[in-house]
Amino acid sequence: MGLIGSGRESRESREPLPPLLARPGAGLLLDLDGTLLDSEAVHRCAYHQYFAGRGWHVDDQVLEAFSGRRAAEVFATLPGPWDGEDPLVLTEGVLAALRSSAVRPVPVAGAARLLAACRLTGLPVAVVTSARRAWVCATLDLLGVGQEATMMVTAEDCLTGKPDPEPFCRGAALLGLHPGDLVAAEDAPAGIASARRAGIGQVIGMTTSQPAAVLLAAGAHTTAPDLVALAGAVESMGTR
């Protein structure tokens, strides 16, 4: 889709594989929005559209609280013009706005390559997201990856969402691997907190929606602008 520049890719693809992924029993857990999919503008537009329809003005700073989290849990705990309303009904309103939005998400550079490389090299991988399964399946279709061949932990699978450790604990269990042997990629502080609390061995903070300083302060071990370097490193596993 023209998202990866050849010069940048050739430099970043030579970066070394994260040490944990080179060990036996390693695996990879990937967030969806902001990690595999550049969708911040899409979600922000949907929230603004829904709130405007309700006659509410909500600052972008307030919307940051929804980043990486299940909307119903935020609506239930964050004070706002929605106080007293059913969080699930509010969430359905936002999702309806999302479905009708003319703004469409695009893959993060390297996303399709990374998933393909995991399949070719046999590196265990799962998507761990606060989104619902339908959004994950649509994203995998966009990336050209078979839904049936991709393991996933979605909003429907967890009693408590990020920043609780449950999503990443479930991701590790789904792969059948120890959390400390896994690498996770996340773009939101809530997701980074979830991964760290689950005991994930290395967390890569994706600077697609937050500056590196924010992600490192949240507990990321390192940061990356996209998935190009990680994809190249995983591809190199097949040539050893």
Side-chain angles (χ1 to χ4, degrees):
M1 298 184 65
L3 293 173
I4 303 172
S6 59
R8 181 182 184 187
E9 181 177 354
S10 63
R11 290 194 302 271
E12 292 193 345
S13 292
R14 291 196 295 268
E15 292 191 9
L17 189 73
L20 280 178
L21 293 184
R23 300 178 185 175
L28 188 60
L29 298 175
L30 301 171
D31 176 49
L32 184 76
D33 291 294
T35 300
L36 291 172
L37 195 65
D38 186 356
S39 54
E40 180 186 14
V42 181
H43 287 283
R44 193 175 295 275
C45 180
Y47 277 107
H48 280 308
Q49 179 180 329
Y50 175 68
F51 292 155
R54 298 293 306 273
W56 300 338
H57 175 74
V58 180
D59 292 335
D60 283 347
Q61 187 175 0
V62 176
L63 287 184
E64 289 293 338
F66 291 85
S67 180
R69 299 184 60 193
R70 298 195 297 195
E73 293 177 338
V74 180
F75 280 128
T77 57
L78 182 69
W82 46 77
D83 287 349
E85 299 202 26
D86 187 333
L88 294 177
V89 173
L90 291 165
T91 300
E92 290 300 329
V94 175
L95 289 175
L98 180 65
R99 288 189 290 268
S100 67
S101 176
V103 183
R104 305 314 305 161
V106 296
V108 168
R113 268 185 65 195
L114 176 58
L115 291 174
C118 289
R119 179 175 298 180
L120 287 172
T121 61
L123 180 68
V125 61
V127 175
V128 178
T129 177
S130 296
R132 295 185 180 180
R133 186 167 293 265
W135 184 254
V136 182
C137 291
T139 298
L140 294 176
D141 285 342
L142 180 65
L143 294 174
V145 179
Q147 302 170 16
E148 68 285 347
T150 305
M151 291 187 281
M152 62 184 80
V153 176
T154 68
E156 295 94 332
D157 299 320
C158 300
L159 294 175
T160 309
K162 303 171 185 178
D164 190 270
E166 182 183 355
F168 279 98
C169 287
R170 287 185 178 273
L174 192 62
L175 295 184
L177 299 172
H178 189 277
D181 294 328
L182 304 179
V183 173
E186 260 285 358
D187 76 302
I192 291 170
S194 174
R196 290 299 304 268
R197 292 171 65 188
I200 301 302
Q202 182 179 358
V203 182
I204 302 171
M206 302 290 297
T207 59
T208 50
S209 55
Q210 297 282 351
V214 171
L215 302 179
L216 292 170
H221 295 93
T222 186
T223 63
D226 53 40
L227 296 170
V228 173
L230 185 58
V234 173
E235 286 170 347
S236 72
M237 294 173 64
T239 63
R240 295 180 180 182

